[in-house]
Amino acid sequence: MKKVGLYFGTFNPIHIGHLVIANHMVEFSSLDEVWFVVTPQSPFKTKKTLLDNNQRYQMVYDAVEEYPKLKPSNIEFNLPQPNYTINTLAVLSEKYPKGYEFSLIMGEDNLKGFHKWKNYEFILEAYSLYVYPRVSSGKVEHKFKNHPKIHKVEAPIMEISSTFIRENYKLGKNIKPLLPKVVWKYIDEMNFYR
């Protein structure tokens, strides 16, 4: 049984923080692979700063190419919008019925709001969560503490955000060390986020 952790995000752009967390999950938890599930742009919320789905997928694809246990996924691109995680999980479980066990990867900040997710009880019944630490305020709901399906993984705390990268790149700051080389090259050549 291959245990796959699903790491959802817009990855706009994917940066070394994402890679460090995903790699840590795959090396220091019971997960065999981590799939970066690139969230499509919602047709209802067009954000000027959000790159096209395929461009963001391309950056993830390039970034994980040298890590065999990390994979890009565009599974959500063809799902009706707005989409909920529960639907993506259902589609993946249908597409890979044998030999795969899917889990969610999320930051502790997301766990604090998890009780507001659509069908969160069902998600917890059927899937595990792998939670990495984040610096954030608020409390984790009592029902999620010591929950058998919620695994805390002591990954390094990464205080890098894609927003920070975009904003400072636009200001002409050197943000090159925060990005995988291939991603930096792609952004630079395509003149993104300027």
Side-chain angles (χ1 to χ4, degrees):
M1 182 66 77
K2 187 174 276 189
K3 295 179 87 169
V4 176
L6 303 171
Y7 191 1
F8 289 80
T10 51
F11 304 114
N12 184 37
I14 184 171
H15 53 67
I16 57 161
H18 296 129
L19 289 178
V20 167
I21 287 166
N23 187 66
H24 198 88
M25 289 288 175
V26 95
E27 295 297 336
F28 300 98
S29 78
S30 58
L31 296 173
D32 301 309
E33 284 182 0
V34 169
W35 294 4
F36 286 87
V37 182
V38 183
T39 312
Q41 179 157 14
S42 162
F44 308 103
K45 281 193 299 198
T46 45
K47 269 171 125 187
K48 284 190 173 61
T49 53
L50 192 59
L51 293 183
D52 171 82
N53 296 343
N54 294 316
Q55 291 166 332
R56 288 179 294 114
Y57 177 80
Q58 185 64 50
M59 287 192 283
V60 171
Y61 182 91
D62 292 345
V64 302
E65 208 165 8
E66 53 187 282
Y67 302 95
K69 296 176 185 173
L70 307 181
K71 310 257 186 262
S73 169
N74 58 5
I75 189 83
E76 292 200 323
F77 289 9
N78 302 319
L79 301 182
Q81 296 293 323
N83 179 45
Y84 296 100
T85 305
I86 187 79
N87 302 346
T88 307
L89 289 166
V91 169
L92 281 168
S93 299
E94 208 170 281
K95 194 174 171 177
Y96 302 95
K98 285 188 175 65
Y100 285 85
E101 185 187 299
F102 293 104
S103 300
L104 291 180
I105 293 174
M106 68 172 66
E108 206 168 6
D109 50 339
N110 284 330
L111 183 61
K112 288 171 186 171
F114 186 62
H115 59 287
K116 297 181 187 139
W117 286 31
K118 186 180 164 91
N119 301 100
Y120 81 88
E121 302 98 332
F122 176 75
I123 293 176
L124 265 187
E125 259 170 56
Y127 303 92
S128 293
L129 305 185
Y130 285 78
V131 179
Y132 58 89
R134 287 295 293 262
V135 175
S136 63
S137 56
K139 285 199 161 52
V140 170
E141 292 272 306
H142 188 69
K143 59 185 156 201
F144 299 146
K145 287 187 176 155
N146 307 317
H147 192 289
K149 288 282 189 74
I150 300 177
H151 312 284
K152 283 206 158 164
V153 180
E154 287 308 317
I157 294 181
M158 302 303 290
E159 287 298 295
I160 305 171
S161 75
S162 298
T163 308
F164 175 86
I165 290 171
R166 289 193 309 272
E167 287 171 356
N168 286 286
Y169 182 63
K170 205 172 172 176
L171 295 171
K173 304 276 188 212
N174 181 3
I175 45 85
K176 209 170 170 179
L178 302 177
L179 299 166
K181 244 191 205 118
V182 283
V183 172
W184 161 256
K185 203 167 165 261
Y186 187 70
I187 288 172
D188 196 45
E189 281 170 6
M190 300 293 278
N191 207 15
F192 289 147
Y193 309 124
R194 280 288 188 215

